[in-house]
Each structure stands twice: as C-alpha cells, then as structure tokens.
DNA sequence: TCTTGTCGGATTGTTCCACAATCCTCTAGC
DNA sequence: GCTAGAGGATTGTGGAACAATCCGACAAGA
C-alpha cells in the first residue's frame, strides 16, 4: 500500500493547468468585471480572436464559459454580448443571495463556531482596505465576506453559486456612482452581522441579513434608475 | 404604439430555435438521465461525433453545455466523462435544495396564495401518475413539485438552479433500487407539505421541508452505500 | 520482483479554412 | 411612408491538420 498522501491531495487543484479557452475567459472576465467592456458590447468572434490571437473555436469555448457565469449572453446567429443587468436582474440576484447566505447562517445553528474563521478574515480584509481608503478593495472584501457567510453551509454547490453571483454583482456595483458612499454603511453592517454570528444570536442575524440585502438591493436599483435614465 | 402583447412574450422561449450543439446536448442529456450512459463512461469525441453525425467542434460545444448542468465532467486532455455522483455529492445537492426550497416557502409569508397553483398542479400530476402505477412519472412529478415550491420565490435564478439540481437528482434517483418504494412515502409527505402551504402554516412547512429533505438524502445515501459496494 | 525510464499509439487541444445559414442594413418600388 | 427584396457581414457547422498530452507497454537497472 502506498503511504498516506492525503495532505498532498488537498493541493491537487494547484496541479490543474488551464486550457487556452479558460485563460481567454479569464481575461475577458476581468475586462467585463472592471467595466472596460461596457454592458451590451458585442463581442465579435473575428475581432476578438485577432486581438487575443486565438482561433474562433477557442474563443467560442471561452464564450460558453462566460455564459455559464452569466457575464455574457449568447443569441443564436447574432453573437455574444456583454450582459446588461436590468433592475429586475439585480432584484433577482439579491433573492438568490438571500437564499444562499441564509442557508449559511442557519447552518451555524448546529455547526462548530470555528467555521467563522473565514468570515472573520474577510471582514478584517475589508477593514484594512478601508483604512487605506481603497474602496475597490473594500468591495472585493465585501463580496468575500458574504461568500464566507454562505460558505458556512459547507456546500460546494452553494459556494459555486455564490461565486457566480459575485461576478454578476460586480456588474451591479458598476452602476453605483460612489464606491465609498455605497460600501461604507454596508461595511458597518457587515461588522454588526459578524458580531451577531460570533455571539450565536442566529435569529437576530437572520433578521439583519434579510434587511441588509433588502437595503443593498434598493440602493443599487435606485442608482440604476437614476444613472440609466 | 403597439398593442399590449405581454401574454405573447411569455411564450417567447418557444420561438427560440436551437443550434446543433443544443440538440446534441439534449440527446446526450436524456441518455445520461435515463441511465443509458452509465456514470463514469468516457464520451469519446471521435466515436460520439460519428454516432451522432456531428463534427468534433459541435460536439465539444455540446459537452460544455452538459458540463454546465454538471451531468458530465471535463478533464483536460483526458476528455469528458458521465458524472459519477458520490454520497458526498448527494448530500451537497440536498443542502442546496434545502436552501432554494426554503426560500420559496419563506416567500409565501408575504406573497399571494394564488402562487400555489403550480405546486398544486404538480402534486395532482404526481397523484395521477400514482393511480396509473407509473412510478417513473411520479418521480418526474415529484421533481416538478419541488421546483414549484422553490418557484414560490419568484426568481429566475432560483428556478435555473433548481432545474440544474433536478437533472443531477435524476442521477441520484438511478441509485435507488425500487422507484415505487422510494417515491411512495415521499409523495405522501408532498401532500402534507402542500397542505401546510395551503393553510398558511409556514413555520410547520419549513420544519416539514427540512425533515423531508433530510430523510430523502439519507435514503439515497444509504441506497448508494448498499448498491455501490 | 519491484521500481524507474523511455517509447509509441491514441486522444484531446488548437488552429485554419470553407461553406451554409442567418441576420442586418440599405435601397428600389409602390 | 411603408414593404419587399438584394447584398454584405457575421455566426454556425463541418472538416482536416498538427501540437500537446496522456496512457499503457516494454525494457533496464537495483
């Protein structure tokens, strides 16, 4: 029998190389998330293939990957377009977010409290970014914080869903004019929520989470209504 | 201004033509779900392309679509394989299911009760299938019932997640030996759950749903443990 | 006998090209 | 002003070729 290499198996993911399609998808993803590719932009196969020096086939595979993450939409015989979020989409995203994060909070009822380490760490990163005035980083940490909350449910699929939602949320964040003004109050409430989780006040945490997401949704939807038209 | 054709817009999806890749994915999906392609089977690009009379390019696109639905897994330079569900996967699926269906139930607290129509309809189909002794159809109706429960949340994304989970659950159902023995008790509990929803006993419905999913998970995991080895 | 190095076949990853199918725009005609 | 149709541009699909990679078999050495 071979020795016990379970510890190594945990790092198996680091072995995974990536295909050209995956790398292309990653590049496009970053551009979309950071707003360098505006929503609604048509992604021409020929133009992009030339720009990135990959073939149309490879590019099309990358498009499929991005469509998974709902960052682009694919219309038959018309091509792929950078996703444009409607206020309805934002509301929908927050509905799913509530379901997933609520599952995390509920799981804490009968789970070891040391699972909160990831939540704590994300919150700390957000606070550090705040002191540096880097509100972009605060936004990133905020997403990680909420992914950690959902992660309390200890479910790969929930984590995957949240990761996808996080990418979509980036698009939504792009709609708010001031990152500082938007994130600052919610960072405070992240701290409140984390406190409730730490002290085991689950009922109150559920209530706070519900209100938190409701308020965030409202802020973004209103910002989109003003901005968009 | 044009007339109000919102009623027609609801049927817009029926207009959507489909690409060859989508049709190929559908065919493969059916074969996988019905167990004609055993879990773990390697799907050779060359062999399948010849069997279905499509090019490798098209087939690879179909594989991407199936990978989305988690019905196949793609390993770099090794190809795609029909997904093999582990007991851990089943447990994970039920964790996400609980989160999504719970969101539906909770939404009923402040939603019009006529939203229950879809739930009622799915339950009726399950009962009709039972009287005909068609336990395969009962299984289908059971999935629709629970999709309808999650649908109470009125969220496209939740519906999409549930649809995906339903496909994965088909794989799990394949693990239980007797469709009758498996579905019969859960059909009874679907009726109980529906009754609680109809009468607005939301707290009890949440409790029943939690226990229901917990029991179903246990049954399937045990069946896999016996069957698999 | 067990381990390790190396080779070769088979399969996937990627590119390139060709052509059909479809969509969009623009124009001619009423 | 509106409709119908032509034309160009783009995507959908098929096919072939080569590179990269994996896997099993075989050989060499301890």
């Amino acid at each position: 029998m071979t020795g016990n290499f379970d510890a190594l198996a945990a790092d198996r993911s680091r072995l995974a190389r990536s295909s050209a399609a995956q790398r292309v998808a990653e590049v496009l993803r970053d551009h979309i998330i950071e707003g360098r590719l505006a929503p609604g932009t048509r992604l021409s196969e020929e133009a992009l293939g030339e720009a990135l020096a990959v073939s149309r086939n490879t590019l099309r595979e990358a498009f499929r990957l991005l469509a998974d993450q709902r960052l682009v939409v694919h219309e038959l015989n018309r091509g792929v377009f950078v996703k444009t979020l409607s206020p309805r989409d934002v509301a929908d995203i927050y509905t799913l977010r509530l379901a997933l994060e609520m599952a995390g909070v509920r799981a804490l009822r009968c789970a070891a409290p040391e699972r909160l380490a990831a939540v704590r760490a994300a919150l700390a990163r957000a606070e550090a970014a705040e002191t540096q005035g880097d509100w972009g980083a605060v936004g990133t940490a905020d997403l990680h914080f909420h992914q950690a909350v959902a992660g309390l449910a200890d479910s790969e699929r929930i984590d995957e869903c949240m990761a996808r939602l996080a990418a979509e949320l980036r698009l939504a964040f792009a709609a708010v004019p001031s990152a500082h003004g938007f994130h600052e109050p919610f960072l405070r409430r992240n701290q409140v929520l984390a406190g409730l989780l730490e002290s085991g006040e689950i009922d109150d945490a559920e209530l706070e989470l519900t209100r938190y997401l409701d308020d965030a949704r409202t802020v973004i939807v209103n910002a989109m209504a003003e901005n968009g038209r």
Side-chain angles (χ1 to χ4, degrees), chain A:
Chain A
M1 199 56 57
T2 76
N4 183 354
F5 292 125
D6 290 352
L8 278 180
D11 274 1
R12 194 186 305 174
S13 59
R14 286 171 51 192
L15 250 69
R17 287 153 304 105
S18 65
S19 67
Q22 288 172 316
R23 291 191 299 272
V24 168
E26 199 129 337
V27 169
L28 290 177
R29 194 190 109 103
D30 289 345
H31 277 254
I32 292 171
I33 280 178
E34 290 170 21
R36 285 177 294 196
L37 282 170
T41 305
R42 173 153 159 277
L43 300 177
S44 156
E45 295 185 353
E46 191 173 351
L48 262 183
E50 189 162 356
L52 296 171
V54 295
S55 75
R56 275 180 64 207
N57 284 333
T58 301
L59 198 53
R60 288 168 67 89
E61 289 213 13
F63 285 161
R64 295 284 184 197
L65 295 176
L66 290 172
D68 275 6
Q69 302 169 34
R70 283 193 278 256
L71 291 179
V72 303
V73 292
H74 188 155
E75 300 182 21
L76 192 59
N77 285 318
R78 296 197 355 102
V80 305
F81 300 81
V82 178
K83 170 91 180 193
T84 301
L85 282 182
S86 67
R88 190 184 152 77
D89 281 318
V90 173
D92 201 78
I93 288 171
Y94 274 89
T95 302
L96 179 50
R97 249 190 97 170
L98 177 61
L100 299 179
E101 294 192 40
M102 195 65 94
V105 172
R106 294 174 71 100
L108 204 58
R109 286 187 197 278
C110 43
E114 62 259 26
R115 305 202 95 268
L116 280 172
V119 176
R120 221 174 285 138
L123 187 59
R125 276 201 301 275
E127 289 163 346
E130 182 191 21
T131 63
Q132 296 187 334
D134 182 350
W135 292 98
V138 171
T140 301
D142 176 73
L143 288 175
H144 285 159
F145 174 81
H146 286 275
Q147 283 183 261
V149 170
L152 294 171
D154 193 27
S155 158
E156 290 174 32
R157 282 166 181 77
I158 286 182
D159 292 345
E160 206 183 296
C161 280
M162 273 300 283
R164 259 190 241 200
L165 277 192
E168 276 196 285
L169 273 171
R170 296 275 191 178
L171 288 178
F173 284 176
V176 301
S178 154
H180 179 147
F182 174 69
H183 285 299
E184 205 268 337
F186 289 110
L187 174 52
R188 296 289 154 267
R189 295 177 72 174
N190 281 348
Q191 291 164 335
V192 171
L193 179 59
L196 293 173
L197 293 175
E198 295 275 5
S199 59
E201 300 166 80
I202 307 296
D203 286 332
D204 289 337
E206 288 187 9
L207 210 62
E208 167 60 16
L209 178 64
T210 305
R211 281 200 288 244
Y212 176 109
L213 293 177
D214 214 47
D215 293 341
R217 175 174 53 77
T218 303
V219 169
I220 294 184
V221 167
N222 286 344
M224 289 176 76
E226 284 181 34
N227 245 20
R229 190 154 341 197

